[in-house]
Amino acid sequence: MRKGSRPVRTVLFVSILAVAIAASPNGAVAQEEAPFPIPRVSVQVGTAETPQEVSTTLQIFFLITILAIAPALLVLLTCFTRIVIVLGFLRQALATQQMPPNQVLVGLALFLTFFIMAPVGRQVNDTALQPYLSGEIDQRVAVNSALAPVRDFMFRQTREKELQLFARIAQIERPRNRDDVPTYVLIPAFVVNELRIAFQIGFILYIPFLIIDMVVASVLMSMGMLMLPPIFISLPFKVILFVLADGWYLLANSLVTSFR
């Protein structure tokens, strides 16, 4: 037999021996104690025999769907859109690249959203969630009661112009009051209005920093320093202007009060 076959036989022998020891109840590596019990989770798919089982299945699918679109609901049905866009405009105007990082901006926008939407959340909890959990109202009434404060918040932030636009596109009759406006018409009107206001605030934020960039660029050109990028010189001046003006305080105050 060739010499090269000896390592192969050795490996096979060690493998067989290890399997035998592991399988033996009295082996050296066998555990004396019983293994830790691991819970088993199983999902059964069967045929519903009663209407109640069908209703429960539909409720589960509906709940899973709501959880899947929950991030979109948080972004589009609250003040999160306006806040995060304004913060993005601020970072672009300062030209600080990734400072503050995206995680910080999104986190700040998220907690400002929680702060602004807290009254709406309390109304939803008092009029819909708690009565439903206590069995005082059914699901249909709970959903309508929870949707009422949210619709009221969106109506207060939406112009009639956007409502008329989407009502005309949807080819529905001219609404006489708020109750006549469907929710699927109110949501895009609210989002479009939020984008309009966010871009207006972003434009106002850009003006002082743009003036600083223009002044610095003019000074560098007059001095003949064309090889030095103006953004490197203007960046410290923009940062110190924002700090001296207490920019974060003013911006947070303006964003919160804009929803009152």
Side-chain angles (χ1 to χ4, degrees), residues 26-99:
N26 299 323
V29 296
Q31 297 181 354
E32 297 180 358
E33 299 180 357
F36 183 78
I38 300 177
R40 183 182 63 180
V41 179
S42 62
V43 178
Q44 298 180 357
V45 179
T47 303
E49 299 179 355
T50 61
Q52 290 77 10
E53 294 180 357
V54 177
S55 177
T56 304
T57 303
L58 294 178
Q59 292 176 8
I60 294 175
F61 278 109
F62 179 74
L63 178 60
I64 294 175
T65 304
I66 293 297
L67 293 177
I69 64 175
L73 297 178
L74 175 63
V75 171
L76 298 180
L77 301 187
T78 63
C79 55
F80 181 84
T81 301
R82 182 190 305 185
I83 296 175
V84 75
I85 291 178
V86 170
L87 294 178
F89 269 114
L90 174 64
R91 187 172 65 180
Q92 292 293 330
L94 286 172
T96 54
Q97 301 301 325
Q98 296 297 324
M99 290 297 162

Side-chain angles (χ1 to χ4, degrees), residues 197-213:
I197 297 176
F199 273 73
Q200 289 178 353
I201 299 176
F203 173 75
I204 297 174
L205 284 175
Y206 252 100
I207 293 178
F209 302 114
L210 180 61
I211 294 175
I212 294 178
D213 288 334

Side-chain angles (χ1 to χ4, degrees), residues 110-156:
L110 188 62
F111 281 99
L112 285 177
T113 301
F114 291 156
F115 177 78
I116 296 172
M117 299 298 296
V120 179
R122 285 194 293 266
Q123 293 181 19
V124 172
N125 181 67
D126 296 338
T127 60
L129 182 59
Q130 294 302 326
Y132 175 73
L133 294 178
S134 61
E136 300 176 2
I137 58 177
D138 57 5
Q139 295 180 358
R140 184 183 300 273
V141 177
V143 171
N144 294 331
S145 300
L147 194 59
V150 179
R151 282 172 55 90
D152 182 67
F153 171 80
M154 290 191 291
F155 271 119
R156 286 188 280 109

